[in-house]
C-alpha cells in the first residue's frame, strides 16, 4: 500500500503472520504523541488513534519481510520509516521520489517487478537500486530534485539540474531513434 495504504499494509500484517509487506511512503501512525513532527494528513489525525492497530511500528513483528520504500530527502517519510525497526524490515531508499513512490515506480515501469519480487520475498536493496537506476529520465524526478534543492537553499544548482535533465532526454531520444 502507499501512504495511508502503506499504513494499512503495516498494521494489518499483524492479522496474517508470515506475510510479506510492501509499504510505499507509509505513515507508521498518526498518534500525536508518537509522531509529534507529523503535520500532514489533517483529516486522518482527526480520528481516534487509541484503537488497536493504530501503530504500524508495533504491528509488523510477525511479518516475514517488511519492505519500506521511501525517499530519504522527505523528512517526514524518513521519520516514519525510521520508526519501523526489526530484522524483518528492509528499507528501500528511493531518492527523488518524494511522497509518491508508487506512482514514480509505475512511471519507471518497474512497479510490477518490485511488487512481484516483494510478494515472494526476493527483493533486496541492491536489486531495487538497479530497478530505479533510470529515475533521472522521469520528469517527476527532475521536479522533486528541484524542490529539494530549493528547500535546502541550493537554488544555484537548479539550472544545472535542468540542463542535465534536458541533455539526458536528448540522448535517450537519439538512442531510440537509431
Amino acid at each position: 500500500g502507499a501512504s495511508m495504504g502503506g499504513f494499512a499494509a503495516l498494521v494489518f500484517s499483524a492479522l496474517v503472520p508470515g506475510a510479506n509487506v510492501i509499504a510505499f511512503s507509509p505513515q507508521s501512525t498518526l498518534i500525536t504523541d508518537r509522531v509529534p513532527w507529523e503535520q500532514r494528513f489533517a483529516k486522518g489525525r482527526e480520528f481516534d488513534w487509541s484503537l488497536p492497530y493504530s501503530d504500524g511500528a508495533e504491528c509488523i513483528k510477525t511479518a516475514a519481510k517488511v519492505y519500506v520504500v521511501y525517499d530519504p530527502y522527505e523528512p517526514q517519510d524518513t521519520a516514519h520509516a525510521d520508526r519501523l525497526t526489526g530484522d524483518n524490515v528492509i528499507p528501500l531508499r528511493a531518492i527523488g521520489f518524494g511522497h509518491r513512490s508508487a506512482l514514480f515506480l509505475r512511471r519507471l515501469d518497474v512497479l510490477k517487478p518490485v511488487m512481484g519480487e516483494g510478494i515472494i520475498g526476493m527483493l533486496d536493496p541492491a536489486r531495487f537500486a538497479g530497478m530505479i537506476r533510470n529515475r533521472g529520465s522521469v520528469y517527476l524526478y527532475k521536479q522533486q530534485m528541484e524542490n529539494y534543492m530549493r528547500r535546502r537553499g541550493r537554488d544555484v544548482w537548479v539550472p544545472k539540474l535542468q540542463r542535465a535533465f534536458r541533455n539526458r532526454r536528448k540522448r535517450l531520444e537519439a538512442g531510440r531513434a537509431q
Side-chain angles (χ1 to χ4, degrees):
S3 194
M4 281 308 287
F7 163 79
L10 296 171
V11 297
F12 292 124
S13 70
L15 300 175
V16 187
N20 289 325
V21 177
I22 308 167
F24 302 96
S25 307
Q27 286 84 67
S28 56
T29 187
L30 292 181
I31 299 170
T32 307
D33 295 347
R34 296 185 190 173
V35 292
W37 37 262
E38 180 59 82
Q39 298 302 310
R40 303 172 296 177
F41 319 113
K43 287 188 179 194
R45 288 193 323 259
E46 292 174 2
F47 291 99
D48 180 1
W49 286 89
S50 66
L51 300 171
Y53 305 104
S54 293
D55 191 344
E58 293 177 355
C59 295
I60 58 173
K61 292 171 180 50
T62 62
K65 293 186 179 179
V66 179
Y67 298 102
V68 182
V69 180
Y70 72 101
D71 184 344
Y73 290 0
E74 290 291 324
Q76 290 97 343
D77 286 356
T78 300
H80 281 289
D82 288 346
R83 293 189 72 245
L84 304 172
T85 60
D87 292 338
N88 59 345
V89 176
I90 301 158
L92 300 172
R93 296 166 40 100
I95 294 171
F97 282 34
H99 188 68
R100 300 176 288 188
S101 53
L103 170 65
F104 204 108
L105 290 169
R106 188 169 55 90
R107 292 210 178 145
L108 275 173
D109 202 26
V110 296
L111 181 60
K112 285 183 182 181
V114 166
M115 292 295 292
E117 289 187 24
I119 288 168
I120 62 172
M122 298 301 293
L123 190 58
D124 65 51
R127 174 83 173 120
F128 181 76
M131 290 175 159
I132 66 170
R133 169 173 265 151
N134 291 327
R135 67 186 175 272
S137 63
V138 176
Y139 185 74
L140 183 58
Y141 176 78
K142 180 184 86 72
Q143 289 178 309
Q144 285 297 126
M145 293 309 292
E146 285 177 11
N147 291 336
Y148 172 72
M149 288 177 190
R150 287 186 178 110
R151 282 194 316 265
R152 301 281 302 217
R154 297 181 178 165
D155 294 40
V156 68
W157 289 96
V158 172
K160 294 175 185 181
L161 172 72
Q162 292 168 338
R163 267 193 311 279
F165 185 80
R166 276 193 308 273
N167 290 338
R168 181 180 175 90
R169 295 291 288 220
K170 286 178 186 176
R171 283 193 311 275
L172 287 172
E173 289 171 7
R176 288 186 196 139
Q178 294 177 353

